[in-house]
Amino acid sequence: MPSESDPADSITSSRGAGRRPPLRRRLLPVVSLLLLAPWAAECSWGGFALDGFLPVVIALGPMYGGAAILIRETSRRLGAGWPAIVLLAAAFGVLQAGLVDQSLFNPGYLDDTQYADTRAAAEASLVPGLGFSLRQAFDYVGNHILLTICAPIVLVESFLGADRLHRPWLGRPGLAVVGVLYLLGSLLVFSSPEGRKNFLVSPLQLTFATVVILALVAAALLPRWRRSRPRRHRRVPPALGVGLLVVLAHLGTDPTPGWAGVGVALALAATVGGLIAYWSAGVNWGQRHVLAAGSASVVSAAAFAYLVPPYSPASPAAALAGDIAVSVITVALVGGAWWRLRGASPAGHVAAG
């Protein structure tokens, strides 16, 4: 990535204002996010055996990692914080599942995997006229929000110092390179028989997905997310308590099938999201809380990896090796990020963003 200057790159802390970190330091988080996003999206929950990790990261890094970088950079450049990141992540989830691989509208998308038996459960919440399962939409888009975008960004940012936490990493040429990588990666999936599986959405489905994407992007770019608001004195639970709440909500979204299950899942997601939004406005909310909330999805996924099969059949030994590797990587990432924040005060390392 080029090292040219850019107006957004002038955002610095009061210490060392105006100094640009060396190119290596600026590229390290970019490369980390480029690699971590595809791993979290497809491997962290047991979707692939150990020998599939590297091919997944290489093949899907430009698309998943490119999207995570572009979303993170857009939000940080605008000073919009996590509300914009979540909304842009949701837009990416609809774009990815609705228009790129089109898994959202393809009822047979999983028929050639070990998840073919989930088709009947998905069809129990089919949206009339649009031909997609609301349950699958919640799972697909939700997983892209949590695993593909938010968790990788949280983990990478938590390894950075306070002076780099909310700063942009790339100049405009660097963003252009990442944008091209993302477009090429998405085109590869769209044109690949293994990606889109020769399915094509109807004009109505295309219109519906496009409108939803544009609405989410417009909401993410609202000026209200860029307005500075005073932090309030309110009780904030310990960081680990916030993470535990997210894990429990994740557990509660799965048991109930059909429309009732969708209602429960949406209610839990809205409740937890509302609580986190309320707490994050408090003066005692810090990067440890952000890390706990953002990494809880990866921790939950890693724990359940032992209970789910990979997409393609694998020997028990290969599947177990992959699950153990997921646990080791997750512990290293989350534990390392927590250790990196060990010197920060409970409310340190983060403003409301």
Side-chain angles (χ1 to χ4, degrees), residues 11 14 40-41 68 75 111 114 118 125-126 154 161 198 218 264 270 286 351:
I11 302 173
S14 57
S75 176
D111 284 357
Q114 296 200 89
T118 63
S125 58
L126 204 63
V154 166
N198 299 315
V264 170

Side-chain angles (χ1 to χ4, degrees), residues 33 98 106 137 166:
L33 190 52
N106 184 355
H166 294 151

Side-chain angles (χ1 to χ4, degrees), residues 158 162 288 336-349:
S158 294
R288 293 178 182 177
W338 196 266
W339 178 84
R340 182 68 177 84
L341 296 174
R342 70 195 185 286
S345 63
H349 237 127

Side-chain angles (χ1 to χ4, degrees), residues 226-272:
R226 302 193 289 275
R227 294 175 189 152
S228 178
R229 292 178 175 82
R231 306 294 290 273
R232 301 180 181 275
H233 291 276
R234 57 180 51 156
R235 176 171 291 184
V236 175
L240 290 179
V242 175
L244 179 60
L245 177 65
V246 177
V247 171
L248 292 176
H250 176 78
L251 295 176
T253 59
D254 288 335
T256 309
W259 288 101
V262 174
V264 170
L266 290 173
L268 282 172
T271 300
V272 173

Side-chain angles (χ1 to χ4, degrees), residues 103-304:
S103 55
L104 181 61
F105 298 110
N106 184 355
Y109 189 79
L110 297 175
D111 284 357
D112 59 348
T113 73
Q114 296 200 89
Y115 292 89
D117 59 351
T118 63
R119 182 169 179 173
E123 291 177 347
S125 58
L126 204 63
V127 177
L130 288 172
F132 73 91
S133 164
L134 193 57
R135 176 74 224 196
Q136 279 189 334
F138 178 86
D139 292 339
Y140 291 171
V141 177
N143 283 338
H144 279 310
I145 294 172
L146 297 176
L147 292 177
T148 308
I149 305 298
C150 291
I153 291 175
V154 166
L155 287 166
V156 173
E157 286 191 340
S158 294
F159 277 94
L160 302 178
D163 61 329
R164 301 171 65 205
L165 184 61
H166 294 151
R167 289 182 56 189
W169 297 334
L170 295 172
R172 288 175 183 167
L175 286 174
V177 171
V178 175
V180 170
L181 281 176
Y182 168 70
L183 290 175
L184 290 177
S186 298
L187 181 61
L188 176 64
V189 171
F190 178 82
S191 60
S192 168
E194 294 79 20
R196 187 167 47 89
K197 301 187 177 180
N198 299 315
F199 176 86
L200 196 62
V201 297
S202 70
L204 178 60
Q205 291 168 333
L206 174 64
T207 302
F208 172 77
T210 302
V211 169
V212 172
I213 293 165
L214 293 176
L216 289 168
V217 171
L221 300 180
L222 286 175
R224 63 173 299 177
W225 309 127
R226 302 193 289 275
R227 294 175 189 152
S228 178
R229 292 178 175 82
R231 306 294 290 273
R232 301 180 181 275
H233 291 276
R234 57 180 51 156
R235 176 171 291 184
V236 175
L240 290 179
V242 175
L244 179 60
L245 177 65
V246 177
V247 171
L248 292 176
H250 176 78
L251 295 176
T253 59
D254 288 335
T256 309
W259 288 101
V262 174
V264 170
L266 290 173
L268 282 172
T271 300
V272 173
L275 285 172
I276 290 176
Y278 174 80
W279 290 327
S280 67
V283 294
N284 293 319
W285 180 270
Q287 184 63 19
R288 293 178 182 177
H289 295 89
V290 177
L291 174 60
S295 64
S297 57
V298 177
V299 172
S300 299
F304 278 92

